[in-house]
Amino acid sequence: KPKAVYSYMENDEKPLVGARVILYSDTEIMFSYSLLSSYIPHGTYTVNHGKLVMKTDDGRYTYTFNFSGDNLIFDAANSSELPEYNYGNGEKLKPVPNGAVFEKK
């Protein structure tokens, strides 16, 4: 059973996002940022000064979240670039914007 599950559900603009952060232990983490992505970042995390910093097992990506009560806030400025997807209107958008709130479930 996971230690904690955080979910972010976007508005109707991007109904297929389904972004989720799952903490499996005191160090193991998974960050699924879009149902359209074939890459699901998995790795380890540390917590320092109110920030959760994830590093992927393959060493390619880092993602940062700030704590706000029981929730996590995505910090895009201190994270690896997320890919952009076309959600049907011809405009490409990132699946998780800066400041997105992941609510603890």
Side-chain angles (χ1 to χ4, degrees), residues 18 22 25 29 34 38 42 48 52 60-62 67 80 86 95:
I22 300 175
S25 68
I29 187 171
S34 176
S38 61
H42 183 272
N48 288 312
L52 182 150
R60 296 173 57 198
Y61 304 101
T62 298
F67 284 99
S80 297
N86 182 336

Side-chain angles (χ1 to χ4, degrees), residues 46-53 65 67:
T46 56
V47 175
N48 288 312
H49 306 292
K51 292 186 180 285
L52 182 150
V53 179
F65 300 85
F67 284 99

